[in-house]
Structure formats: structure tokens, C-alpha cells
Amino acid sequence: MTAYDDNNLFARILRGEIPCSKVHETDHALAFRDINPQAPIHVLVIPKGPYVSWDDFAANAPPAAQAGYVAAIGETAKLLGVDATGYRLITNHGDDAQQEVMHLHVHILAGARLGPMVAGGLQPQT
Ligand code: AMP
């Protein structure tokens, strides 16, 4: 697994070295608007701990950090007012998912009918 780099973009946002458009913050997580939105509402939720991706977080984060992160994602959706209308959560891990920033983030996408889950669809594995 890729080692965590303390100077990745989202680590720098967490330290306040790079600004963000904050939506929500808890002891465990920070939520802010994606700089290149792919839907009318596009917010990223990141844990405060140093985890490269979901794979790392699921294996290595303490239960309290995992619970706090999951709760913060739900709270963020409610604050955005999309819990009634619906939203999609996406997290990319590794090469095939084309993860760009190596600090775990869950995308909250909402505010419109979101279309197919994967662009263009892909052939199922046989
Ligand atoms: P991923 O491809 O899942 O790693 O997603 C990385 C996301 O980070 C992309 O949706 C980018 O638009 C977003 N992003 C990159 N730089 C920033 C930034 N400075 N502030 C907010 N979002 C960013």
C-alpha cells in the first residue's frame, strides 16, 4: 500500500495551509466543497487522521475514528439538506478507481438526478 504523505493536498487543508470552503467539522472529520464539482452539490468528507484511502482506514483506524467519520458523513448530508432528496457517496481507492489525492475522502454528490453509477457502464466480469 502507498505510504501516507504528510504533505498531500488534504493534509495541508487540514493544517489550514490551503484554504477550503468548509461545510462541517467534527473531532473526527472535515467536510468541504470540491473545487471541481461534478454535480450541483459536491462535497468531500475527510477523516482527520492520516489514512491513504478507504482500504487503509478500514484496516487501521480505531473504531472511534471509524464511527466518528461515518457519523460526520451523515451529518454533512443532513446539513446540506439532501437527506430527503437523495445523494451518492463515492470513495476511490487506488489505480483502477483513479484516486488522485492520497488522503481518504468520500465524495457526497447530490442536487440532481445523478445518472448511471459508472460513466458509460462497464462489462461485468464473467
Ligand atoms: P479523487 O479522484 O477521488 O482522488 O478526488 C479528488 C478530488 O479532489 C477531485 O474531485 C478534485 O476536484 C478535488 N480537489 C482537488 N483539489 C482540491 C482543493 N484544493 N479543494 C477541494 N477539492 C479539491
Side-chain angles (χ1 to χ4, degrees):
M1 185 192 293
T2 312
Y4 186 81
D5 173 5
D6 277 330
N7 282 319
N8 77 73
L9 183 61
F10 293 167
R12 298 187 66 201
I13 285 178
L14 274 173
R15 290 197 295 270
E17 295 167 7
I18 294 176
C20 71
S21 175
K22 184 159 80 171
V23 172
H24 185 41
E25 183 168 13
T26 72
D27 287 348
H28 293 286
L30 176 68
F32 53 92
R33 295 192 188 275
D34 195 291
I35 205 166
N36 183 23
Q38 302 297 307
I41 294 171
H42 186 172
V43 168
L44 303 173
V45 189
I46 66 175
K48 289 195 168 172
Y51 301 99
V52 173
S53 69
W54 189 269
D55 194 65
D56 183 15
F57 187 72
N60 299 315
Q66 294 188 356
Y69 183 52
V70 170
I73 294 168
E75 289 161 16
T76 302
K78 276 200 192 308
L79 282 170
L80 292 167
V82 298
D83 49 321
T85 46
Y87 56 90
R88 182 174 293 163
L89 303 180
I90 295 177
T91 188
N92 293 315
H93 161 69
D95 279 354
D96 274 358
Q98 296 174 280
Q99 181 181 358
E100 290 170 13
V101 180
M102 296 299 157
H103 181 115
L104 171 60
H105 47 286
V106 165
H107 300 251
I108 300 177
L109 297 157
R113 302 290 291 175
L114 292 171
M117 198 150 45
V118 176
L122 294 169
Q123 285 299 104
Q125 193 170 45
T126 52

